């Protein structure tokens, strides 16, 4: 009964957030759909380290690291997803990115919704950052997703004005498996951002 109540509460919150955040959709990805092959070699071009399939708009950005990984669309219990399997990690992190995002000349407000799990209990870091040097992160959040349960994570955040092209990155630390189901990033104006925050953190009536 408690699980049903929690599920209903999450569904209600998701509906409220979706209603509050109209905005402009920048990324709307189902990770197991509309995929294309990816193949990444080391800097010398002699050793293939990353293989598999990634959805349209996404690319692997792990060539600078010493990691070996694969991206494989899978299905479990009727749910399709993309499994990122990092079999070996000697230096730095596996990462994939969506670039570019629209330039930020004044400031920008975003709402991010991500559904994922991590059978390997990997540390997952989400980031909006510069595409080029010095690769500064303008926003980031790290989490340890559940190993067996799909989690819906939502973030509302602001990015200040910056002079460089930006993109969205997902970093995976260490060795293990992480399953990516879907990701949606929406650009909000100031009022839409406040509405999204109010929907996520509604005021509660104090108890007597």
């Amino acid at each position: 009964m408690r699980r049903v109540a929690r599920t209903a509460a999450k569904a209600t919150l998701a509906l409220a957030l979706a209603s509050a955040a109209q905005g402009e959709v920048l990324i709307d990805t189902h990770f197991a759909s509309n995929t294309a092959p990816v193949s990444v070699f080391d800097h010398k071009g002699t050793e293939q380290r990353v293989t598999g399939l990634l959805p349209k708009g996404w690319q692997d950005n792990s060539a600078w690291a010493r990691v070996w990984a694969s991206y494989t669309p899978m299905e479990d219990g009727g749910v399709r997803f993309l499994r990122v399997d990092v079999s070996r990690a000697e230096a730095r992190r596996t990462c994939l990115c969506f670039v570019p995002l629209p330039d930020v000349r004044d400031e920008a407000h975003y709402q991010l919704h991500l559904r994922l799990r991590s059978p390997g209990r990997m540390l997952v870091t989400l980031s909006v950052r510069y595409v080029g040097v010095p690769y500064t992160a303008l926003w980031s959040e790290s989490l340890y997703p559940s190993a067996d349960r799909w989690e819906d994570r939502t973030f509302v955040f602001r990015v200040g004005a910056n002079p460089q092209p930006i993109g969205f990155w997902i970093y995976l630390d260490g060795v293990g498996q992480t399953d990516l189901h879907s990701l949606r990033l929406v650009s909000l104006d100031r009022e839409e951002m406040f509405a999204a925050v109010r929907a996520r953190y509604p005021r509660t009536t104090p108890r007597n």
Side-chain angles (χ1 to χ4, degrees), residues 42-205:
D42 63 3
H43 287 297
K44 296 180 181 179
T46 58
E47 182 180 14
Q48 188 179 36
R49 293 182 178 173
V50 179
T51 60
L53 298 167
L54 280 174
K56 182 180 179 180
W58 290 84
Q59 57 187 281
D60 180 85
N61 189 225
S62 305
W64 57 279
R66 285 187 58 80
V67 296
W68 287 256
S70 62
Y71 299 97
T72 307
M74 302 180 70
E75 183 172 332
D76 181 19
V79 178
R80 298 183 67 241
F81 58 92
L82 184 73
R83 171 157 293 178
V84 187
D85 188 348
V86 183
S87 59
R88 184 176 164 193
E90 295 183 355
R92 303 187 178 92
R93 301 180 285 183
T94 303
C95 60
L96 58 155
C97 62
F98 188 104
V99 294
L101 294 176
D103 292 342
V104 181
R105 304 195 182 281
D106 182 12
E107 67 175 17
H109 310 93
Y110 302 99
Q111 179 170 285
L112 169 67
H113 180 76
L114 174 67
R115 173 170 288 185
L116 77 170
R117 66 184 182 185
S118 184
R121 294 293 289 157
M122 303 178 76
L123 175 65
V124 179
T125 300
L126 315 170
S127 180
V128 173
R129 51 154 265 204
Y130 288 167
V131 172
V133 177
Y135 310 115
T136 303
L138 305 174
W139 170 86
S140 66
E141 188 79 26
S142 295
L143 53 141
Y144 280 103
S146 169
D148 55 3
R149 175 175 52 84
W150 289 107
E151 292 189 359
D152 292 300
R153 298 294 189 103
T154 300
F155 307 91
V156 179
F157 59 96
R158 171 189 173 278
V159 166
N162 65 83
Q164 293 200 33
I166 62 172
F168 186 88
W169 263 256
I170 301 176
Y171 297 94
L172 305 175
D173 277 70
V175 172
Q177 302 82 36
T178 292
D179 297 337
L180 302 173
H181 177 273
S182 55
L183 183 148
R184 183 179 175 89
L185 181 68
V186 179
S187 175
L188 308 174
D189 63 30
R190 190 176 179 84
E191 291 306 314
E192 289 169 337
M193 182 196 69
F194 288 141
V197 171
R198 287 193 295 268
R200 183 163 176 76
Y201 304 105
R203 292 184 178 181
T204 56
T205 303

